[in-house]
Amino acid sequence: MRTNPRLRLAINVIVGILLGIFISQMLSGCSDDLPLAPAPSAGIAGEALTAPAPTTATASVTAPATVTTSVVSDTMPLPQTKERYHLSWDGKLEGDATRSLSCKETQCRYETHASVVGLASLSEISDFQWAHGQVEFQRYERTLQLLFKQVARIEKQADGSIRSERRGKVYQYAGKPGLVDILNIEVQLRADRLANRAPKASYPLADSKGISAISLHREADETLTVAGKARHSEVYVRQDGKRKTTLWLDPAQAFLPLQIIHQDGAETYRMVWLGDAAK
């Protein structure tokens, strides 16, 4: 039986809207409500994933290694590369993504571009200063292209305050030392681990309506099979409010994310590394 063209178009529009709303919630540092992160010492219970896993993961029998402090530098220690990822939404919708880091002296940009062909696309950009071994928040922007373009911005002003714009509303609030956004916290984590430093248990997060807390803790190491090879990875969980993100980082590649899973209730968004986009 042939599907009515109008019915097929309506279904695609509805699916696209749902996907766009979900992706914007999963990847955005611009939430409508300020999340309340748990205390840094509190553990976060793992949630079962309903989506079929494109990788094979087995828990390591060794506990996380003890880390030590080291000398910091104003030179960005991470490789400046562009990486390819496969993305899936609850195992039902598939797409592609790229993630890249670039720096000119101490001025850096970390960005993600993801899309499901014919339905939606999402871009996130974090501009920050790298100084004394730390990210210094400057600007975060998210652009969601669905039926129409939606842009959200969070930006540090000359006086140190933070100004945000989202859905036609403008917010302004006082800044805070050590402020991060939802993207550059990953750069900080990777740089800390590359320098054999233990990451902080929590960070102040620049959000749309103010500063909220985002927690970070390490779990047992695992081995993932990605890009045709078994790879040892360190596993970290970050959480802000209801949003939980698990990252599998490869110590052999400057702690490059091999897999990223965002969870919000029953919904799951997954990105799996495919390789260097330049190769």
Side-chain angles (χ1 to χ4, degrees):
M1 182 177 68
R2 299 179 63 184
T3 305
N4 186 295
R6 292 184 178 180
L7 177 60
R8 186 166 60 250
L9 175 60
I11 292 174
N12 286 339
V13 169
I14 293 172
V15 172
I17 292 173
L18 292 175
L19 174 64
I21 293 173
F22 176 71
I23 290 179
S24 67
Q25 292 175 341
M26 288 296 91
L27 296 185
S28 172
C30 304
S31 61
D32 287 322
D33 300 317
L34 290 181
L36 298 177
S41 59
I44 301 176
E47 299 177 20
L49 301 180
T50 57
T55 63
T56 301
T58 55
S60 170
V61 296
T62 58
T66 302
V67 297
T68 58
T69 58
S70 60
V71 178
V72 297
S73 170
D74 284 344
T75 302
M76 169 55 66
L78 300 179
Q80 297 175 44
T81 61
K82 183 177 183 179
E83 308 293 332
R84 295 184 298 113
Y85 289 82
H86 173 78
L87 66 89
S88 65
W89 175 44
D90 277 353
K92 300 171 185 176
L93 295 174
E94 310 289 324
D96 300 295
T98 59
R99 310 179 88 233
S100 61
L101 173 66
S102 58
C103 296
K104 186 175 181 181
E105 297 181 349
T106 61
Q107 182 63 45
C108 299
R109 169 171 288 191
Y110 194 38
E111 53 192 309
T112 294
H113 300 281
S115 65
V116 176
V117 177
L119 290 179
S121 66
L122 176 73
S123 296
E124 289 185 293
I125 296 175
S126 172
D127 291 321
F128 61 94
Q129 195 83 11
W130 179 258
H132 310 298
Q134 293 185 337
V135 299
E136 294 184 0
F137 172 79
Q138 291 181 327
R139 180 176 178 272
Y140 169 87
E141 180 174 303
R142 188 205 72 224
T143 302
L144 173 65
Q145 181 69 56
L146 196 54
L147 299 179
F148 53 89
K149 183 182 291 187
Q150 304 174 45
V151 180
R153 297 184 183 90
I154 306 174
E155 190 168 9
K156 184 177 181 179
Q157 304 298 294
D159 62 0
S161 65
I162 307 299
R163 183 179 189 273
S164 71
E165 300 177 47
R166 190 185 186 207
R167 296 177 179 174
K169 296 182 180 179
V170 176
Y171 301 90
Q172 191 147 352
Y173 53 90
K176 187 175 183 178
L179 195 64
V180 300
D181 62 46
I182 202 68
L183 277 185
N184 66 31
I185 186 177
E186 184 181 310
V187 175
Q188 185 67 65
L189 168 60
R190 292 178 60 195
D192 283 340
R193 292 302 299 118
L194 191 61
N196 202 32
R197 294 193 298 267
K200 295 180 181 178
S202 66
Y203 296 82
L205 177 71
D207 217 325
S208 60
K209 297 181 181 180
I211 296 174
S212 59
I214 183 167
S215 67
L216 181 68
H217 75 264
R218 183 174 176 180
E219 297 193 336
D221 293 0
E222 294 184 8
T223 296
L224 292 181
T225 299
V226 295
K229 182 179 178 181
R231 304 169 191 269
H232 172 76
S233 62
E234 292 186 2
V235 184
Y236 292 87
V237 174
R238 74 174 190 235
Q239 187 157 357
D240 58 306
K242 298 178 181 179
R243 298 176 297 186
K244 174 183 175 181
T245 303
T246 307
L247 302 103
W248 285 256
L249 307 181
D250 184 1
Q253 300 188 80
F255 294 90
L256 176 78
L258 297 177
Q259 181 172 243
I260 305 167
I261 294 180
H262 300 270
Q263 292 172 279
D264 190 349
E267 306 285 1
T268 301
Y269 174 94
R270 183 191 305 263
M271 296 178 70
V272 179
W273 182 68
L274 298 175
D276 190 327
K279 297 180 180 179

